[in-house]
Amino acid sequence: MRTYGEYCSLAKSLDVIGNRWTLLIVRELLLRGPSRYTDLREGLPGIATNLLAERLRELEEEGLVAREEAPPPIATTLFRLTPRGGGLRPVIERLILWGAPLMTVQDPKDVVRSQWLAFALESMLSDHEPQGPAVTIELRTGDQPILIETRDGDVKARLGSAERPDAMLLGPPKPILGFLIGWIELDAAEAAGVRREGDPGVFERVRGLSAEPSPAAAGAG
Amino acid sequence: MRTYGEYCSLAKSLDVIGNRWTLLIVRELLLRGPSRYTDLREGLPGIATNLLAERLRELEEEGLVAREEAPPPIATTLFRLTPRGGGLRPVIERLILWGAPLMTVQDPKDVVRSQWLAFALESMLSDHEPQGPAVTIELRTGDQPILIETRDGDVKARLGSAERPDAMLLGPPKPILGFLIGWIELDAAEAAGVRREGDPGVFERVRGLSAEPSPAAAGAG
DNA sequence: CAGCATCCGCTTTGATACTG
DNA sequence: CAGTATCAAAGCGGATGCTG
């Protein structure tokens, strides 16, 4: 194993999770829960199968991932995060927040997955009126519908549909994200191809208030 | 440039700062302030000089680092973090916290630098009695003395000495760190070669209360 | 000396093919 | 389903040399 050889907490962290793909594997395990090898590979487009196997082996050795052989009737291997591996969630949340300005650039070749958007939205949105009645927002963007819900003062986002959401946004992911993060207003999002249904006021319940849309200018500190 | 090709905030962050050495360069710039090329290389033992040059160029292109040519009398190039680059501090702090359990293992080949210890201590300690009189603790470990001070409810740690610190710890870094983080008690630290001077009560002002010394068992989440 | 660029051998990664 | 095997390409580490 290649190590920085520094008695430094940051360097030692990077010795463990600094390799390519490692943190994305942890992301998949966080958002999917215990997963099969094949499902992980499906959630990591472009990863070489030998690399996924090697990374999982390393993560297991480091105690971040546990392998679980399901008994005969199911007969499959599940990979799950240990508490130590789950402890990376705050790190990943901070990286998501720091990277938000980079989402203003969507390369045509970028793969879009609603699961990633939902995962990121949980870190980026917050409930500004925790005492109010729960609200539900549905997004129709990416490959699957996303459900945003306020719950116990938190904002939860996951794949799913609601019978009667309080509001709905349909269209390309970039302006929808830009509007929910707070970089652009609803009319600008609509000009970029977003369609709204339901009460426009409910968005303000969870919307962020960042002011920095540009990836070059944004100082997140 | 190699990219993950995902429209995901985490993946895009890693596209920018996921390369080897990048985050350690940011660490050096955070703890040193604007730095010369040579000083950066000195703070990153083992980095190849061409890699440092390449990383700095990348960081400049991404807008995290700015290059500054000092005028003729000084005639040197300074590299400084932009606000965007400085925005990585919370990410690095979380990585430091997550990596703390890894500091229970000190490889004989690990380079020890007091600056790294001071930087990490700032993330790991907090002032439990912000209204009390300011306290000063000096550490004699690593290559240079470290000064820990309470200030405005924060704990600051930097290289330096005090005329009359309220307390002092001398000895190997591992037990000193273990004691300050809260994994072991003072008598255990002393048994591991730590010597104390001054009031033992002042340590409780800033000490952490983590309970998990083992890198394998610690669930930080 | 500060701030690189070049060259070379080794390691890691990516793509694909194949297996119990 | 859950990998292993193989091989080419890219990245990295170390040494050395160049330039103002």
Side-chain angles (χ1 to χ4, degrees):
Chain A
M1 194 190 63
R2 183 178 273 175
T3 166
Y4 287 109
E6 298 185 358
Y7 190 65
C8 161
S9 185
L10 175 64
K12 284 186 178 288
S13 287
L14 294 174
D15 282 345
V16 175
I17 54 92
N19 279 342
R20 195 163 160 79
W21 291 108
T22 300
L23 228 38
L24 294 188
I25 294 172
V26 174
R27 175 199 67 190
E28 287 300 307
L29 289 169
L30 278 172
L31 63 84
R32 289 169 183 269
S35 308
R36 295 181 305 174
Y37 184 92
T38 313
D39 296 331
L40 287 176
R41 208 178 47 176
E42 207 277 324
L44 297 163
I47 195 172
T49 172
N50 57 344
L51 260 193
L52 177 55
E54 189 179 331
R55 291 288 178 268
L56 286 170
R57 210 179 306 126
E58 291 165 359
L59 286 167
E60 205 183 345
E61 277 172 22
E62 300 285 354
L64 315 201
V65 162
R67 184 184 306 242
E68 189 179 316
E69 304 285 346
I74 312 179
T76 186
T77 313
L78 286 181
F79 298 89
R80 73 168 67 231
L81 285 176
T82 63
R84 175 71 179 149
L88 284 168
R89 184 186 284 271
V91 171
I92 288 177
E93 282 173 357
R94 290 298 185 163
L95 276 166
I96 286 174
L97 292 178
W98 185 84
L102 304 172
M103 297 295 274
T104 53
V105 177
Q106 182 185 355
D107 190 279
K109 279 182 271 190
D110 279 352
V111 177
V112 178
R113 292 278 169 85
S114 297
Q115 265 196 323
W116 303 336
L117 299 174
F119 189 63
L121 282 170
E122 278 203 5
S123 297
M124 301 196 282
L125 305 183
S126 58
D127 189 353
H128 306 134
E129 195 195 337
Q131 307 302 339
V135 299
T136 301
I137 298 170
E138 185 168 331
L139 307 182
R140 296 276 178 82
T141 189
D143 54 344
Q144 291 171 80
I146 297 170
L147 212 54
I148 301 173
E149 295 167 295
T150 61
R151 198 184 297 239
D152 304 327
D154 271 348
V155 174
K156 297 289 176 190
R158 54 180 174 84
L159 299 187
S161 270
E163 294 276 324
R164 294 201 156 277
D166 298 294
M168 182 142 77
L169 292 172
L170 308 86
K174 202 173 75 172
I176 288 181
L177 207 58
F179 168 64
L180 288 175
I181 295 179
W183 291 330
I184 61 174
E185 295 306 312
L186 188 51
D187 53 358
E190 285 174 335
V194 174
R195 207 176 84 233
R196 170 195 56 82
E197 292 183 7
D199 177 8
V202 299
F203 300 122
E204 302 307 323
R205 173 77 176 268
V206 296
R207 259 185 98 206
L209 338 96
S210 307
E212 315 252 15
S214 147
Chain B
M1 193 191 64
R2 184 179 269 174
T3 165
Y4 287 109
E6 298 185 358
Y7 191 64
C8 162
S9 184
L10 175 65
K12 283 185 178 291
S13 286
L14 295 174
D15 283 343
V16 175
I17 54 93
N19 278 344
R20 194 162 162 79
W21 291 108
T22 300
L23 229 36
L24 293 188
I25 294 172
V26 174
R27 174 198 68 190
E28 287 301 307
L29 288 170
L30 278 173
L31 63 82
R32 289 170 183 267
S35 309
R36 294 182 306 172
Y37 184 91
T38 314
D39 296 331
L40 287 176
R41 207 178 49 174
E42 207 277 325
L44 297 163
I47 195 172
T49 172
N50 57 346
L51 260 194
L52 177 54
E54 188 179 332
R55 291 287 178 269
L56 286 170
R57 209 180 310 126
E58 292 165 358
L59 286 167
E60 207 183 343
E61 279 171 21
E62 301 284 354
L64 313 201
V65 162
R67 181 184 307 243
E68 188 179 319
E69 303 288 345
I74 311 177
T76 188
T77 312
L78 286 182
F79 298 89
R80 73 167 68 230
L81 285 176
T82 64
R84 175 72 179 150
L88 283 168
R89 185 187 284 271
V91 171
I92 289 178
E93 282 173 356
R94 291 298 184 162
L95 275 166
I96 286 173
L97 292 178
W98 185 82
L102 305 172
M103 297 294 275
T104 52
V105 177
Q106 183 185 355
D107 189 278
K109 278 180 274 187
D110 279 350
V111 176
V112 179
R113 292 277 169 86
S114 296
Q115 267 196 322
W116 304 336
L117 298 174
F119 189 64
L121 282 171
E122 278 204 3
S123 298
M124 301 195 283
L125 304 183
S126 57
D127 187 354
H128 305 134
E129 195 195 337
Q131 308 301 338
V135 301
T136 301
I137 300 170
E138 185 169 333
L139 308 182
R140 295 274 179 85
T141 188
D143 52 346
Q144 290 170 82
I146 297 170
L147 253 185
I148 302 173
E149 296 167 294
T150 59
R151 196 184 298 237
D152 304 327
D154 270 349
V155 175
K156 298 288 174 191
R158 54 181 175 85
L159 299 188
S161 269
E163 294 276 324
R164 294 201 156 277
D166 299 294
M168 185 143 73
L169 294 172
L170 306 86
K174 202 173 76 170
I176 288 182
L177 206 58
F179 168 63
L180 288 175
I181 295 180
W183 290 329
I184 61 175
E185 295 306 314
L186 188 53
D187 53 358
E190 286 173 334
V194 174
R195 207 177 85 232
R196 171 194 57 82
E197 293 184 6
D199 177 8
V202 299
F203 300 121
E204 302 308 323
R205 173 79 176 268
V206 297
R207 261 184 95 207
L209 338 95
S210 306
E212 316 251 15
S214 150

